[in-house]
Amino acid sequence: MPPNIDKAINLRRQCSHFRILVIGRANAGKTTLLKKVCNSIEDPVIFSPSGDVVISPLCFLRGLHDIENQLIFQSNPQFIFHDTRGFESGSVAETEKVKAFIAKRARSTELSYQLHAIWQVSSCSESGDDTTKWTTGTASPQIPTGHFPVIAIFTMFDGLITEAFTQLKESGVGRKEAKDRQNEQAQEMLTTKFVKPLMSTGYPPADHVRLDDMRLAANNCNELIKKTANALNDDTLKLLFVSVQQNNINICVNFAVEK
């Protein structure tokens, strides 16, 4: 048996799930994103660290979730998510809780208890300044995020396309030309308002991805899955992440071929 496959099997014996911390403000589309990743139409079941059901999904949707609790979708229980409370910019108490949580998980020697990745979720409907404030505040030098790859996720990109179309029309551009240029204009806006400020910080994420409205059946999060897998610097951990995919079979096949 090839050594990396043997390692992967041993890893799955130690840890049967992949654990992700989801950081983001309220209304950034976190719940919708996680449903898409797990191919679920149901809300997650929320468990305490000991495995007891402790809170209703409705509380999660209202931003009342405890970061220590575990969000698990019945459609794919091999993913375990931890959610911040949807803290707003300037919420020092919530930021400190996130810092303490990440530091504690980083100190653990148990793979099943550790975090494996962090997803930072921002809506393109937010202002770039606000996004940079809370993102850089969370990923500050006090947080040992070097243990875990951080992927910045910009949701609702289609809303930025609408905004770009409106700006072009207001500048005097004709409707047809505005339609032709709206995607390019939206990408420029995303880069200027969100990506460049974030990537120029002292602790930028490993990668970033833009997503359209995940409520639409035609949209998917394949690019997020690929970039998360590529950001993992351990091949066996990468195999663990790929192996828990139930909604992205092509990614599993492509990764296997590459290895």
Side-chain angles (χ1 to χ4, degrees):
M1 183 178 294
N4 63 326
I5 299 300
D6 189 41
K7 284 184 179 180
I9 292 173
N10 289 332
L11 185 64
R12 287 304 299 269
R13 288 171 180 163
Q14 299 175 49
C15 182
S16 61
H17 57 262
F18 194 89
R19 190 182 299 272
I20 300 175
L21 171 63
V22 185
I23 298 176
R25 298 171 63 173
N27 302 317
K30 292 181 294 180
T31 308
T32 305
L33 169 64
L34 299 186
K35 285 183 177 181
K36 181 70 74 169
V37 168
C38 293
N39 193 26
S40 176
I41 60 173
E42 304 292 336
D43 291 320
V45 179
I46 302 176
F47 297 90
S48 70
S50 62
D52 298 321
V53 177
V54 295
I55 197 167
S56 70
L58 183 60
C59 294
F60 168 59
L61 296 175
R62 291 176 176 172
L64 301 176
H65 186 61
D66 184 339
I67 193 172
E68 292 287 349
N69 291 335
Q70 303 174 121
L71 283 64
I72 299 176
F73 290 86
Q74 294 182 349
S75 59
N76 192 346
Q78 292 177 305
F79 271 118
I80 294 180
F81 300 102
H82 293 268
D83 177 55
T84 61
R85 288 168 60 94
F87 58 92
E88 303 301 319
S89 178
S91 178
V92 177
E94 290 303 324
T95 300
E96 290 303 316
K97 288 180 182 178
V98 175
K99 289 181 180 180
F101 177 81
I102 293 176
K104 179 174 66 175
R105 297 282 169 162
R107 291 192 299 267
S108 175
T109 58
E110 295 183 23
L111 183 64
S112 62
Y113 184 78
Q114 294 172 358
L115 285 174
H116 303 135
I118 298 175
W119 288 349
Q120 292 181 176
V121 185
S122 305
S123 168
C124 290
S125 62
E126 300 174 14
S127 72
D129 289 343
D130 285 347
T131 298
T132 303
K133 284 178 183 177
W134 79 258
T135 303
T136 55
T138 302
S140 67
Q142 288 75 33
I143 293 183
T145 53
H147 288 78
F148 326 108
V150 180
I151 306 297
I153 305 168
F154 299 104
T155 60
M156 307 177 191
F157 181 70
D158 47 330
L160 207 57
I161 292 176
T162 301
E163 183 180 342
F165 176 80
T166 301
Q167 288 187 8
L168 288 167
K169 286 283 292 176
E170 290 176 350
S171 69
V173 173
R175 182 178 181 83
K176 183 180 184 304
E177 184 180 352
K179 279 286 186 183
D180 292 339
R181 292 173 51 188
Q182 62 182 4
N183 285 9
E184 181 181 357
Q185 177 85 351
Q187 181 58 51
E188 290 178 1
M189 293 165 63
L190 177 68
T191 300
T192 301
K193 293 174 61 177
F194 298 96
V195 177
K196 282 187 176 179
L198 181 57
M199 300 304 290
S200 65
T201 62
Y203 294 85
D207 210 336
H208 66 275
V209 62
R210 75 181 201 202
L211 299 175
D212 293 327
D213 190 343
M214 289 291 101
R215 294 171 297 181
L216 301 179
N219 294 332
N220 62 64
C221 51
N222 290 352
E223 194 66 19
L224 169 61
I225 299 302
K226 291 177 183 177
K227 291 193 173 184
T228 301
N230 289 334
L232 295 166
N233 55 18
D234 183 277
D235 278 349
T236 51
L237 189 58
K238 191 176 296 189
L239 284 168
L240 171 64
F241 176 66
V242 172
S243 71
V244 302
Q245 305 300 319
Q246 294 184 5
N247 195 31
N248 298 281
I249 301 302
N250 288 337
I251 293 177
C252 298
V253 172
N254 291 338
F255 181 80
V257 170
E258 289 174 4
K259 292 299 176 184

